[in-house]
Amino acid sequence: MFMFDKVDQHLLVMLQEDSKKTNKEYANKLGLSTTAVYERIKRLEKSDVITKYVALVDKKKVNKAFVVLCHVKLIQHTKDNVLQFEREILKLEEIAECYHVSGDYDYILKIHVEHMEAYREFMVSKLTVIANIGSTQSTFIINEVKHTTAIGI
């Protein structure tokens, strides 16, 4: 397990808030040299604590603001069926997140589309054609109260 100190924790919080700042800016806030910050970031990347850097896109500005949580129940839970379902889900760009869960359903999918008609088309032409789906239940997001990509450190 990777061992953090308080400086690593603070650096991770700052990187999650804005990873586009310079090492010098982080160094000034942490009271370190830019070289020390660079080395800490490289160590965090090498140990896979930091796995990638991304740009967060406004859903509304790219016409993907209709968000659906779709609960999926499989007919059979054999290893082959589960793995095949997961391979098919990975191919669908509308699905932003997929979780294998316990409870009444087997998976929860987070789907971004333009509007209700686009969601219907997605369901009919892409999702429900995947083998071994027994049932689905869709929940439409009315308002996003909290959304963050940051992990509490």
Side-chain angles (χ1 to χ4, degrees), residues 49-101:
V49 173
I50 297 173
T51 56
K52 70 160 99 172
Y53 297 91
V54 300
L56 300 178
V57 175
D58 185 326
K59 297 181 286 296
K60 293 174 186 166
K61 293 187 177 169
V62 295
N63 291 325
K64 300 291 179 172
F66 192 77
V67 182
V68 183
L69 299 178
C70 181
H71 296 71
V72 177
K73 189 180 294 187
L74 301 181
I75 295 170
Q76 293 182 316
H77 300 93
T78 65
K79 181 179 179 180
D80 288 342
N81 288 339
V82 166
L83 294 176
Q84 179 60 33
F85 174 79
E86 291 176 1
R87 279 192 299 272
E88 294 299 319
I89 290 303
L90 291 172
K91 297 175 187 175
L92 301 176
E93 70 179 28
E94 294 89 348
I95 299 174
E97 300 173 42
C98 174
Y99 301 97
H100 193 178
V101 297

Side-chain angles (χ1 to χ4, degrees), residues 5-8 10-11 14 22-38 40:
D5 63 16
K6 292 287 184 193
V7 175
D8 289 330
H10 192 64
L11 179 57
M14 289 190 303
T22 66
N23 287 348
K24 184 176 183 178
E25 290 174 289
Y26 298 128
N28 288 339
K29 287 191 176 185
L30 293 169
L32 298 173
S33 69
T34 54
T35 302
V37 168
Y38 174 83
R40 282 179 181 267

